[in-house]
């Protein structure tokens, strides 16, 4: 009989959720600052997953385990801290106790940014990381291998390796900066008064489409430069409307210039009607400030595609020195001349022999995907090659730093006689070039609330930026060369101090391979712990091409196994990317099948290399039921099934890619075993067990604070644990129960449980009301994709089409569904039609409770107390214990903190305290007072 592991018995979900969410906001010294990688799992949660997956359940009692893990899995716990080292040594001692023959072997076949293998190392395991993407492969080398091999003081290193990697990266990073500064300084002149220029504010430009104008339109999203408490600075356009000129001379000849305003001057301008928050372009639709002509998005894109979109240097951001704040000035002629000089210098260099391996072009001429909407080249702007994401001075800076990185690698090898060590140092320096590129391209933005640069990858996409920021790499702070060198130094120190002399003999190994073909023998690993791609959440290969084209130039020849391709390999990437298969619904269907096939192969490989008694732990999160269907179908087909699952908050609430359309903040940790029982399960026999298990776990998750969309997905793991013990589950008539059927059942169980907890007898009210309350609880005021809204309706015994056509409760637009609040509904002729009809026909009592409540809120908001009491009387709601009031209370509880629902929540919060008096007045309404009319002001 298999020994139950701690992960199958308990996990301190609440404590880990707090730490996981907190860690997402940490930057100083975190591995996420080493190099961009998307959707990394928190280190603290990864540590808990590894520890709990390896130890038997009887290693400690449940209370002691939860307390110990809650203390162990905090960001502050590391070997560099005495208290942290003590906790880690306790954890390592426990692991050694249960693995006396040597460190347990842990594999992550989708290793990505390295959180899981790094924490396996920290706990004394033999960590193995496999990664298909070349960029992630290098990140793993720099996270898992190099700090352990070279990152310790000389006294801890084997003979002949008496050097400190962190110190050498910093030393050679400073050397590269010194060499590059000599070549580049003339192209970055000091600002007014000798101040250091930190950044340059640029605007893209197009010509006005009005043939009688033709003025240059500077494209700005908005004009704020600083918008912080106590500091407000903005650019104000100054329009010069010159007298009309002959058409041959360009029409009006008008021009837009700028002034920098702050203090009283800005206040006076705003009082005079200037709004710095209103720019000249939104969603590619622009307007001319000279003649006020609109330039539609089609025109703007066509101008860009034809090469007629320009750019204009508008302002400088300067500083007196570190910590002295930011100052703003208009760009001067000498600033524009310096830029032109840089462009000429780049053109000269491109005539010389290439400094890159294999004679690669000086700048990345590799093609960009023209059909992928996730990246700017697929959005119709005519961008075709990767170098087009940079202006000439940015390209000059990048190729200059890149050249000197290659020289540094040669110098390190000459100094040490160790090519592998030179390769390690060079990799961190190459990462600094990558980070420079992410902060210094034409798609970055100025963050006026922080007075800093927002890098390219603030989300899971590469989007157009109309006004952009050019960083000064020779300055200090964000966007400079010094910043990534400092980050590398800190990361090497933090990762390198894991391995203390004589205490952790195990190391880490990174392989460039596919999870569908693992390079390991059968039954090798004690645990396989992974965070696989989340369906369509991140197009990893498409995004990482941005870095791949630079890494190929700086260190590609040092990693021939990973840089054999023009761009990152994509054929066997396990993501749902419809653009790769022609787009549209057909492309999406093919992409889903592709994902499911690859995930199935990967899980079968995990099954093969996992020891018979081992744990496979899968972390997954996605709001879409379709994503979960694909994952679970792949998991079960591989012979793995969950024995326990836990929902842990891991997403930072402010994340730009975690907002809207029912975003979830939790990751589900599913502990899986190899299926031993391959028989048939009968659905009518296991359904009661399924309901009992799901309800028991939902109770735990509710107590842990899970709500909304996270609560729905938390129910999936426990259900699949029951379902997955069988090879097939059949109905009495022999029909197989599909994964989709199971998830429908899970949704219904979760919905019923949530309604029970939200208010007494809420599960007994009409279906439209249940739907409205549950949507608000789970998704607030967000818009949902049709499929998700439809599944929510079905879980409550409702039909989405009926909710839209008969009850007019929802509003559908193509593939999305919105749930309007009371005011939007009743002010819309189409949406309010059922309410009007009920009033005219005298059938208010037959309305769904949500319709009656919306009508009551409408009357309350406009001060129609008499109309409201008449409604209560006619509708039969003149009892304080009527479900009408329980629905109102439940809605208020879920809406008062939800975004976008302030109007409805405010009305509910005002009306509910008056419940007793309203009911009393309703009971005294005469027959004459029962006549209602619905009219709008």
């Amino acid at each position: 009989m298999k020994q139950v592991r701690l992960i199958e018995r308990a996990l301190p979900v609440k404590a880990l959720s707090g730490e996981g969410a907190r860690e997402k906001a940490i930057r100083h010294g975190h591995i996420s600052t080493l190099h961009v990688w998307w959707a990394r799992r928190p280190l603290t949660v990864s540590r808990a997953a590894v520890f709990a997956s390896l130890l038997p359940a009887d290693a400690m009692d449940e209370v002691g385990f939860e307390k110990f893990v809650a203390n162990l899995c905090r960001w502050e716990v590391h070997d560099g801290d005495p208290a942290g080292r003590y906790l880690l040594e306790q954890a390592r001692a426990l692991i050694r106790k249960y693995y006396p023959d040597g460190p347990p072997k842990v594999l992550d076949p989708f290793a990505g940014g390295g959180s899981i293998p790094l924490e396996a190392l920290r706990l004394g395991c033999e960590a193995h990381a496999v990664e298909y993407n070349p960029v992630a492969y290098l990140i793993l080398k720099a996270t898992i291998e190099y700090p352990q091999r070279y990152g310790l003081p000389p006294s801890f290193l084997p003979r002949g390796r008496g050097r400190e990697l962190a110190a050498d990266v910093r030393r050679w990073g400073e050397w590269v900066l010194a060499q590059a500064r000599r070549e580049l300084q003339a192209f970055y002149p000091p600002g007014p008064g000798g101040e250091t220029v930190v950044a340059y504010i640029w605007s893209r430009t197009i010509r006005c489409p009005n043939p009688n104008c033709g003025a240059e339109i500077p494209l700005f999203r908005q004009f704020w430069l600083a918008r912080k408490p106590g500091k407000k600075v903005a650019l104000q356009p100054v329009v010069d409307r010159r007298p009309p000129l002959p058409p041959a001379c360009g029409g009006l000849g008008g021009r837009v210039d700028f002034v920098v305003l702050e203090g009283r001057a800005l206040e006076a301008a705003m009082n005079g009607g200037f709004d710095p928050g209103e720019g000249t372009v939104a969603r590619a639709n622009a307007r001319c400030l000279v003649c006020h002509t609109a330039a539609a998005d089609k025109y703007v894109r066509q101008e860009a595609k034809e090469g007629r979109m320009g750019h204009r240097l508008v302002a400088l951001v300067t500083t007196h020195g570190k910590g002295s704040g930011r100052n703003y000035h208009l760009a001067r002629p000498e600033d524009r001349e310096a830029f032109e000089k840089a462009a000429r210098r780049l053109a000269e260099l491109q005539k010389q022999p290439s400094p890159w391996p294999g004679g690669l072009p000086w700048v990345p001429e590799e093609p960009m995907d023209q059909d992928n909407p996730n990246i700017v080249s697929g959005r119709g702007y005519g961008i075709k090659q990767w170098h087009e994401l940079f202006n000439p001075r940015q390209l000059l800076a990048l190729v200059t730093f890149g050249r000197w990185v290659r020289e540094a690698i040669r110098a390190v090898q000459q100094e040490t006689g160790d090519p592998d060590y030179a390769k390690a140092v060079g990799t961190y320096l190459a990462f600094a070039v990558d980070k420079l590129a992410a902060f210094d391209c034409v798609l970055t933005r100025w963050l006026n609330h922080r007075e800093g640069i927002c890098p390219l990858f603030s989300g899971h996409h590469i989007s157009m930026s109309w006004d952009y920021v050019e960083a000064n790499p020779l300055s200090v702070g964000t966007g400079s060369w010094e910043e990534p060198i400092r980050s590398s130094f800190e990361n090497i120190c933090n990762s390198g101090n894991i391995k203390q002399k004589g205490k952790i003999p195990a190391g880490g190994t990174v392989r460039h391979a596919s999870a569908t073909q693992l390079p390991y023998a059968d039954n090798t690993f004690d645990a396989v712990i992974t965070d696989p791609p989340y369906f369509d959440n991140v197009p990893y290969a498409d995004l990482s091409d941005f870095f791949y084209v630079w890494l190929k130039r700086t260190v590609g020849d040092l990693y021939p196994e990973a840089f054999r391709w023009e761009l990152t390999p994509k054929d066997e990437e396990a993501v749902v990317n419809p653009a790769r298969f022609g787009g549209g619904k057909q492309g999406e269907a093919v992409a889903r099948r592709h994902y499911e096939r690859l995930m199935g192969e990967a899980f079968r490989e995990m099954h093969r290399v996992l020891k018979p008694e081992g744990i496979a732990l899968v972390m997954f999160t996605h709001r879409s039921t379709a994503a979960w269907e694909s994952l679970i179908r792949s998991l079960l087909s591989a012979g793995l099934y969950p024995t326990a699952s836990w929902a842990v908050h891991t997403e930072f609430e402010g994340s730009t890619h975690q907002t809207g359309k029912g975003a979830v903040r939790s990751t589900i940790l599913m502990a899986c075993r190899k299926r031993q029982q391959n028989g048939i399960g009968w659905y009518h026999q296991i359904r009661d067990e399924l309901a009992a298990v799901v309800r028991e776990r939902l109770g735990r998750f509710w107590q842990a604070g899970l709500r909304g969309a996270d609560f729905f997905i938390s129910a999936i793991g426990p259900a699949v644990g029951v379902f997955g013990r069988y090879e097939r589950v059949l109905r009495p008539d022999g029909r197989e129960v599909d994964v989709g059927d199971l998830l429908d059942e899970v949704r219904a169980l979760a919905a019923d449980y949530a309604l029970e907890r939200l208010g007494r007898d809420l599960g007994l009210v009409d279906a439209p009301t249940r739907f409205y309350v549950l949507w608000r609880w789970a998704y607030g005021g967000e818009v949902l994709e049709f499929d998700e809204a439809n599944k929510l309706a079905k879980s409550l015994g409702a039909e989405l089409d009926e909710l839209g056509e008969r009850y007019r409760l929802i509003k559908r637009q193509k593939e999305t569904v919105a749930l309007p609040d009371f005011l939007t509904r009743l002010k819309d002729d189409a949406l309010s039609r059922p309410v009007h009809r009920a009033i005219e026909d005298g059938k208010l009592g037959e309305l769904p409770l949500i319709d009656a409540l919306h009508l009551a809120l409408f009357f309350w908001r406009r001060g129609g107390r008499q109309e409201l009491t008449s409604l209560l009387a006619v509708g039969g709601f003149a009892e304080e214990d009527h479900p009408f009031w329980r629905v109102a209370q439940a809605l208020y509880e879920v809406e008062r903190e939800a975004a976008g629902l302030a109007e409805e929540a405010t009305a509910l919060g005002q009306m509910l305290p008056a419940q007793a008096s309203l009911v009393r007045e309703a009971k005294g309404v005469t027959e004459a007072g029962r006549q209602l009319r619905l009219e709008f002001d």
Side-chain angles (χ1 to χ4, degrees):
M1 184 175 178
K2 290 178 180 175
Q3 193 176 41
V4 177
R5 301 284 173 88
L6 281 169
I7 192 75
E8 297 173 299
R9 182 69 54 81
L11 202 67
V13 169
K14 199 164 188 175
L16 287 176
S17 292
E19 281 300 310
R22 183 172 76 92
E23 186 189 323
K24 281 284 182 175
I26 292 172
R27 288 293 174 264
H28 184 71
H30 197 278
I31 60 168
S32 62
T33 63
L34 179 63
H35 195 286
V36 170
W37 195 252
W38 302 270
R40 273 186 175 98
R41 292 306 88 190
L43 297 174
T44 49
V45 175
S46 301
R47 190 182 310 163
V50 174
F51 182 74
S53 296
L54 291 172
L55 291 185
D58 58 7
M60 54 181 71
D61 65 79
E62 185 172 326
V63 174
F65 163 68
E66 292 199 355
K67 184 176 179 181
F68 179 74
V69 169
N71 287 323
L72 175 70
C73 299
R74 291 181 292 115
W75 165 250
E76 294 79 8
V77 172
H78 53 79
D79 281 296
D81 172 69
R85 185 163 60 249
Y86 175 74
L87 282 167
L88 286 166
E89 277 306 312
Q90 284 186 297
R92 293 164 187 153
L94 276 168
I95 290 172
R96 286 196 296 271
K97 176 181 176 182
Y98 290 98
Y99 293 87
D101 296 331
K105 295 180 179 179
V106 177
L107 167 69
D108 182 355
F110 293 101
S115 296
I116 293 169
L118 178 62
E119 291 306 320
L121 275 179
R122 200 185 303 274
L123 291 172
C125 306
E126 183 182 310
H128 294 259
V130 169
E131 180 52 52
Y132 179 66
N133 186 285
V135 177
Y137 170 66
L138 261 65
I139 295 171
L140 289 163
K141 285 278 190 180
T143 304
I144 307 303
E145 287 190 359
Y146 296 149
Q148 309 310 311
R149 191 181 305 168
Y150 303 116
L152 299 175
S155 59
F156 286 161
L157 291 168
R159 188 181 300 277
R161 289 190 179 164
R163 62 186 71 93
E164 294 186 63
L165 179 61
D168 276 349
V169 168
R170 183 161 62 182
R171 176 165 65 96
W172 285 103
E174 291 169 352
W175 181 85
V176 168
L177 176 60
Q179 310 311 309
R181 189 186 297 279
R182 283 206 304 271
E183 293 188 18
L184 296 173
Q185 197 157 17
F187 308 118
Y188 296 92
E195 293 183 21
T196 300
V197 178
V198 177
Y200 303 85
I201 306 293
W202 288 80
S203 166
R204 297 181 193 272
T205 61
I206 58 169
R207 286 290 168 189
C208 174
N210 180 353
N212 293 318
C213 177
E216 182 183 80
I217 303 176
L219 300 176
F220 274 96
R221 294 168 297 116
Q222 50 83 47
F223 294 109
W224 284 110
L225 295 172
R227 196 179 187 185
K228 297 161 67 174
K231 185 176 184 181
K232 302 286 191 295
V233 186
L235 281 170
Q236 183 184 32
V238 178
V239 181
D240 176 11
R241 293 187 176 89
R242 299 174 186 176
L245 298 172
C249 299
L252 284 176
R255 175 178 171 82
V256 179
D257 287 309
F258 295 91
V259 292
V260 175
L261 296 181
E262 56 186 311
R264 291 182 179 177
L266 176 58
E267 187 177 339
M270 292 178 68
N271 289 337
F274 171 51
D275 180 3
E278 185 179 338
T280 61
V281 63
R283 297 182 180 275
N285 293 285
R287 62 185 177 91
C288 177
L289 293 176
V290 175
C291 70
H292 307 296
T293 296
D297 61 337
K298 186 176 180 181
Y299 172 81
V300 174
R301 286 188 167 90
Q302 190 62 33
E303 288 295 285
K305 192 178 293 186
E306 297 295 331
R308 292 190 291 266
M309 180 177 282
H311 61 173
R312 176 179 170 186
L313 179 55
V314 176
L316 313 178
V317 184
T318 66
T319 182
H320 286 294
K322 194 170 183 180
S324 64
R326 300 285 186 255
N327 303 310
Y328 300 90
H329 311 272
L330 293 180
R332 305 158 300 173
E334 56 263 43
D335 299 311
R336 297 185 181 92
E337 175 55 29
F339 178 81
E340 293 302 327
K341 281 172 57 180
R344 292 193 293 271
R345 175 57 181 157
L346 178 66
E348 292 168 4
L349 284 178
Q350 288 180 281
K351 296 175 184 177
Q352 299 176 16
S354 166
W356 311 127
L360 286 168
W362 275 85
V363 300
E365 296 178 2
E366 289 86 344
M368 293 184 73
D369 192 336
Q370 300 296 293
D371 301 313
N372 190 341
N374 289 310
I375 57 178
V376 68
S377 58
R379 305 294 290 181
Y381 297 110
I383 298 173
K384 296 181 178 179
Q385 297 180 335
W386 284 99
H387 70 86
E388 295 175 58
L389 301 190
F390 306 89
N391 72 31
R393 183 162 55 186
Q394 291 170 331
L395 286 170
L396 178 64
L398 289 167
V399 299
T400 301
F401 278 101
R403 280 169 44 234
W404 285 111
V405 164
R406 292 188 62 77
E407 289 300 321
I409 294 169
R410 281 189 275 269
V412 173
Q413 182 170 343
Q414 187 174 3
E415 177 183 88
T416 63
D418 186 343
D420 289 336
Y421 184 71
K423 177 179 176 180
V425 172
T427 300
Y428 293 101
L429 298 179
F431 284 179
V433 174
D434 281 7
K435 197 161 188 178
L436 210 60
F439 275 91
D440 200 18
C441 66
V442 298
L443 301 179
T444 56
R445 293 180 290 115
W446 184 250
L447 296 176
N448 54 56
H449 63 285
R450 280 179 17 202
E451 293 191 278
I453 301 172
C454 178
L456 172 61
F457 293 109
S458 58
H460 299 162
H461 45 72
I462 298 178
S463 300
M464 172 61 85
S465 183
W466 302 110
D467 49 286
Y468 70 88
V469 186
E470 180 188 4
N472 179 355
L474 307 180
S475 66
V476 293
T478 304
S480 70
W481 175 261
E482 288 185 351
E483 196 279 332
I485 295 301
R486 178 186 54 78
S487 295
S488 291
F489 177 82
E490 292 172 349
N491 271 284
I492 296 165
C493 291
N494 287 350
S495 299
N497 68 21
I498 288 174
K499 187 174 176 184
Q500 302 296 317
K501 185 180 180 182
K503 295 181 179 178
I504 305 180
T509 302
V510 180
R511 300 280 189 95
H512 182 246
S514 170
T516 62
Q517 294 179 304
L518 294 173
Y520 301 104
D522 296 357
N523 306 318
T524 296
F525 293 98
D526 298 282
V528 179
I529 302 173
T530 195
D531 173 40
Y534 296 163
F535 200 62
D536 59 355
N537 195 35
V538 184
Y540 294 98
D542 296 330
L543 301 182
S544 60
D545 278 338
F546 178 87
F547 298 117
Y548 183 87
V549 296
W550 289 109
L551 288 169
K552 190 165 60 165
R553 284 162 170 76
T554 52
V555 292
D557 55 332
L558 305 181
Y559 297 94
E561 72 278 18
F563 289 89
R564 293 175 286 146
W565 304 272
E566 182 179 38
L567 294 166
T568 57
K570 299 175 177 67
D571 290 346
E572 295 298 296
E573 184 188 38
V575 297
V576 175
N577 192 338
R580 246 174 242 165
F581 300 94
K585 290 188 176 181
Q586 184 175 355
E588 184 171 353
V590 175
R592 287 185 177 191
R593 290 196 296 272
H594 174 78
Y595 174 81
E596 200 167 309
R597 174 183 67 81
L598 291 174
M599 291 303 296
E601 291 175 9
F603 286 142
R604 280 189 283 279
E605 280 291 89
M606 285 169 55
H607 184 286
R608 179 182 66 79
V609 301
L610 183 66
K611 291 180 179 178
E613 69 281 4
I615 286 281
L617 189 133
V618 178
M619 302 184 190
F620 193 78
T621 187
H622 205 287
R623 175 189 46 75
S624 163
T625 307
W628 280 100
E629 280 187 35
S630 291
L631 180 91
I632 291 166
R633 195 175 285 117
S634 301
L635 193 70
L636 296 179
S637 69
L640 295 168
Y641 76 98
T643 55
S645 68
W646 308 95
V648 180
H649 278 190
T650 57
E651 300 302 322
F652 179 44
E653 291 188 45
S655 175
T656 58
H657 57 275
Q658 279 293 319
T659 55
K661 296 188 180 178
V664 295
R665 299 204 319 272
S666 295
T667 295
I668 305 301
L669 279 64
M670 291 188 292
C672 303
R673 295 278 194 172
K674 291 185 174 182
R675 187 194 299 119
Q676 300 299 316
Q677 183 177 342
N678 289 322
I680 292 174
W682 295 98
Y683 193 48
H684 65 286
Q685 294 175 345
I686 68 172
R687 194 172 182 181
D688 288 344
E689 181 189 0
L690 181 77
V693 168
V694 168
R695 286 184 65 84
E696 187 274 330
R697 297 312 293 273
L698 287 176
R700 280 196 180 207
F701 296 145
W702 189 279
Q703 291 298 320
L706 256 68
R707 297 292 185 271
D710 298 278
F711 190 73
F712 281 123
I713 66 168
S714 74
I716 294 173
V720 179
V722 175
F723 188 84
R725 292 201 305 264
Y726 305 94
E727 189 173 0
R728 293 191 302 156
V729 176
L730 303 179
R731 302 180 191 276
D733 61 3
R735 288 182 299 121
E736 186 169 353
V737 180
D738 185 58
V739 170
D741 300 327
L742 172 69
L743 295 187
D744 288 343
E745 179 80 12
V746 169
R747 267 189 176 275
L749 288 168
D752 288 346
Y753 187 93
L755 286 169
E756 287 176 22
R757 300 301 294 261
L758 287 171
R760 179 166 61 88
D761 296 334
L762 279 188
L764 303 178
V765 300
D766 58 84
T769 301
R770 297 200 308 273
F771 177 83
Y772 190 92
V773 172
L774 211 58
W775 178 310
R776 291 296 187 228
W777 174 74
Y779 307 112
E782 294 173 359
V783 173
L784 293 188
E785 292 172 2
F786 175 82
D787 185 55
E788 285 306 299
N790 191 41
K791 284 181 165 58
L792 177 64
K794 288 183 179 298
S795 73
L796 296 162
E799 292 293 333
L800 199 62
D801 287 342
E802 186 180 35
L803 292 173
E805 294 168 13
R806 177 182 172 187
Y807 295 107
R808 306 298 174 102
L809 192 63
I810 61 168
K811 195 168 186 176
R812 182 176 177 182
Q813 281 192 323
K814 295 183 179 178
E815 294 303 310
T816 62
V817 179
L819 188 69
D821 68 2
F822 81 99
L823 197 58
T824 306
R825 282 190 74 200
L826 294 183
K827 284 197 170 185
D828 184 295
D829 289 341
L831 294 176
S832 63
R833 197 169 298 150
V835 178
H836 278 285
R837 192 180 302 121
I839 292 174
E840 292 165 2
D841 297 344
K843 295 182 178 179
L844 276 173
E846 297 179 16
L847 281 175
L849 282 180
I850 191 59
D851 286 356
L853 179 58
H854 277 178
L855 186 54
L857 292 174
F858 180 80
F859 288 146
W860 175 272
R861 184 182 180 275
R862 74 176 188 184
R865 191 177 182 98
Q866 184 177 344
E867 295 167 302
L868 174 51
T869 54
S870 296
L871 167 65
L872 297 178
V874 174
F877 312 131
E879 298 291 338
E880 289 196 47
D881 197 39
H882 194 282
F884 173 94
W885 296 105
R886 293 200 289 277
V887 170
Q889 185 64 46
L891 265 183
Y892 176 64
E893 295 296 330
V894 302
E895 288 186 354
R896 61 182 176 176
E897 295 181 1
L901 295 172
E903 191 85 54
E904 187 161 295
T906 299
L908 283 163
Q910 293 171 348
M911 187 181 77
L912 281 167
Q915 175 183 347
S917 62
L918 288 170
V919 167
R920 190 165 54 249
E921 291 170 31
K923 289 179 178 179
V925 171
T926 64
E927 190 63 36
R930 291 172 176 256
Q931 302 304 312
L932 281 177
R933 294 181 66 192
L934 185 56
E935 296 177 353
F936 301 105
D937 298 330

